[in-house]
Structures are given as C-alpha cells and as structure tokens.
Amino acid sequence: MLNCTHSTTATGVDLEQIEKLSCLYLANCRNFPWQLASPFMKDYDMQKLLFDKTVGHELSKQFPPAGEFLNNFIKTWIRKAGDGVVLEDIYDTLSSLLASPLSNKGYRLYTFDNCQTFLATEETMAMCSKGTTGLQAWRACFLACVWATKNPSLFSNKRVIELGCGVGLLGATISRLSPTQVTLTDHHSSVLASAHRTVTVNRLEHVAIEELDWREPREMECDVVVAADVVFDPALLPDLSLTIKRLLRPDNVCYVFSTVRNEATFHEFVRCISEAGLKSEHLDLSGISHYLVESVSDLRLLSIRL
C-alpha cells in the first residue's frame, strides 16, 4: 500500500489528496486536476513530495508512462510553477525525456482496492491505433472494474469470459477475485498481443487468451460473461448479440458495461438483444465512486440472460 512519509500535522498535507493525485498520475489521467495540485507548487519541499508521488514514483520508474504524456505533464508542471522555484528533478526528467523521440505508448497503472494493489497495462494515447480502439482502456471499463471489485461473490469460483477484452484490464481485475478461470477474447491480433502483455507483466494466474470473431461465434463453457465499451458501432451489434446468446445458458449471465455516447446506438443494442431472444435489465449504478469514474450519468450496466 502506498504510504506518505510526511505527516499531516508537520506539513499540512492532505494525505488522501496526495494519494488521489498519485493514482491519477499513475493512470496517465489526461485531465489531471492541477487545481488540486496547486498547494504543492508553493515551495521546494512540497514539490518534492508531489514529484515522489508522481513522476518519481517507484511504480512509474518500473512501468514508465508514454513519453508524450510525461512531456505534457512536465511542461504543465513548469508552467503551473510560474515564477516560483521549480524542482531540479523536473528539469532533469525533461532533459532525459527529450533526448529520444517521444512515444505515444506506455504503461498505465490502475488500482481498484484503495491503493493496495495495482495493475499495469501498456496502452497507446491514440484513440485509434493499428485499425482498432482496443489498445487503450475506456471509462466503461473503469466502471466495470470498480463494480466487479465491489461484487466479488459474482465472480468467485466462476468461469468468466470477457468479450472484446482490449488490453485486458477488466479480465485482469476479475482474475484477482478468485475465479476458477478467466478467458480474455478479442479478434484483432494487436489487441490479443496487448492482452498477453497484461497477463505477463502482472503475473496473472488462471487467465487464458483466445481469439473470438463475433461473426463466427462458438460455444464456450462459462458461468459469467462480461464486456465493457463494446457498444459503439451499430454494424457490430447484431453479431455481438448473437455471440452473447451463444454463450448463455439458463443458469449463467452476461454483464455489459457501456458509455452512452450516442443514445440511438445504445437503444439499438437493447433492441438487438431482445430480437435475439434475450432478456436485459438495467442495473443500478448509484453509489459507484472512483477517482477515474466521478460521474456515472453517461454509463450503463445491462444484465442479460436467456
């Protein structure tokens, strides 16, 4: 667990706030809340504390972020410091960073258990890379990880299949909830390779990776099916619905987590599910809170059964 060595009484530091900033940095949050970091720009010692929890964090050294992200973060740090003192470590980091071409791919680190454990995934900053959007994690996936962690009994001693696994963050999270087996599935070769890296770097156990084309679904034994951020292309929804149907039995269930970017697309998915002869139910997301999911107004969770 991350521990701050500076006491609140000695420095006036809000320990909960510095941990939140640390987690947001490690997750490469593009909307890093610099307004919350402003108290740490006041002097050298406070900047050093923030640096040690972000850029200089041990996990960040072990799993470095994308060069483009770090470059933007460092330059914003310098700008926010204004005319005040800037930590020498910041300039040293920038100098080393600019010695090589900046990469748009790097590691993001996530925690869904109050900083007790982290999961590392290698992701691209580009929304679409190599013809797929599956090389980075999206908001509905964060929601799914939080929800799964709050409902471990739904996955304990269960065989779980993830559809459209992307980098494998959701399946990796579930793998730590004592399932019998987790099978990550996707169709794109680059995405499957990314999922393999996630399994390897996190030393996950009881996790398999299989290619699955929704246009040619097949039967696979499971107790729970999960999918996150797979409802975005209307052309894929009939095949996705039929794939879910192929995996379901009278005694198992599918959970689909979605960010509603287009209401018509989401309603079309619900229609396709119904047309496939499946029953869907909207589950309540109130009470879900996480540093990466501060609002659930545009997020949905469907429970789907035969």
Side-chain angles (χ1 to χ4, degrees):
M1 184 173 181
L2 298 178
N3 293 307
C4 181
T5 57
H6 296 68
S7 69
T8 302
T9 53
T11 65
V13 173
D14 183 333
L15 299 184
E16 183 176 340
Q17 186 155 293
I18 190 66
E19 294 296 354
K20 178 178 180 178
L21 292 172
S22 179
C23 289
L24 286 167
Y25 172 83
L26 293 174
N28 294 191
C29 179
R30 300 187 191 187
N31 298 317
F32 187 82
W34 285 100
Q35 72 279 8
L36 299 182
S38 59
F40 299 94
M41 295 293 156
K42 294 179 179 179
D43 58 42
Y44 185 93
D45 289 339
M46 293 292 279
Q47 284 194 42
K48 179 61 175 173
L49 174 59
L50 181 61
F51 180 87
D52 288 344
K53 286 291 187 177
T54 54
V55 181
H57 196 291
E58 180 181 346
L59 285 174
S60 187
K61 295 176 181 178
Q62 185 178 356
F63 300 101
E68 290 184 4
F69 169 80
L70 182 55
N71 181 58
N72 292 335
F73 187 87
I74 291 294
K75 289 184 175 179
T76 303
W77 181 307
I78 294 172
R79 188 169 65 252
K80 292 293 183 180
D83 296 330
V85 63
V86 176
L87 197 68
E88 290 182 8
D89 292 332
I90 286 293
Y91 286 121
D92 290 342
T93 301
L94 181 60
S95 177
S96 298
L97 182 65
L98 297 180
S100 304
L102 297 177
S103 171
N104 74 344
K105 185 170 70 173
Y107 284 101
R108 299 177 73 178
L109 292 136
Y110 302 97
T111 179
F112 301 102
D113 56 10
N114 296 318
C115 301
Q116 294 183 52
T117 60
F118 283 82
L119 285 166
T121 58
E122 188 179 42
E123 302 181 30
T124 177
M125 293 184 66
M127 291 185 64
C128 184
S129 178
K130 298 182 180 180
T132 177
T133 59
L135 296 177
Q136 65 171 274
W138 300 85
R139 283 185 67 240
C141 181
F142 304 149
L143 165 71
C145 293
V146 175
W147 189 85
T149 303
K150 289 181 177 294
N151 296 278
S153 63
L154 297 178
F155 305 98
S156 178
N157 298 314
K158 299 291 197 308
R159 297 164 298 174
V160 182
I161 290 178
E162 181 180 6
L163 299 176
C165 69
V167 297
L169 178 60
L170 175 54
T173 300
I174 292 174
S175 77
R176 292 182 168 178
L177 303 178
S178 302
T180 302
Q181 175 81 18
V182 175
T183 303
L184 309 179
T185 72
D186 212 293
H187 179 56
H188 197 286
S189 59
S190 295
V191 173
L192 292 170
S194 179
H196 271 289
R197 283 193 293 275
T198 297
V199 172
T200 300
V201 301
N202 293 287
R203 301 178 181 179
L204 302 179
E205 298 181 345
H206 308 299
V207 179
I209 300 173
E210 294 189 22
E211 188 272 340
L212 180 62
D213 187 342
W214 298 344
R215 295 168 298 181
E216 299 177 358
R218 65 180 186 273
E219 292 185 2
M220 301 173 68
E221 294 295 326
C222 66
D223 303 299
V224 182
V225 181
V226 295
D229 269 315
V230 294
V231 180
F232 57 88
D233 184 349
L236 298 176
L237 301 182
D239 290 335
L240 171 59
S241 300
L242 292 175
T243 298
I244 292 172
K245 182 176 183 179
R246 191 71 180 268
L247 296 172
L248 287 180
R249 299 288 181 273
D251 58 348
N252 64 8
V253 61
C254 175
Y255 298 109
V256 178
F257 303 81
S258 301
T259 301
V260 180
R261 302 175 181 88
N262 184 306
E263 288 283 354
T265 300
F266 184 75
H267 290 314
E268 176 63 12
F269 175 58
V270 175
R271 188 194 69 79
C272 288
I273 286 294
S274 177
E275 192 172 83
L278 301 173
K279 300 175 183 178
S280 64
E281 178 186 1
H282 289 265
L283 299 187
D284 183 23
L285 294 175
S286 60
I288 295 292
S289 179
H290 187 261
Y291 63 92
L292 292 174
V293 189
E294 295 190 347
S295 171
V296 297
S297 61
D298 61 339
L299 298 171
R300 303 288 185 274
L301 169 54
L302 281 183
S303 170
I304 302 172
R305 299 177 185 270
L306 281 178

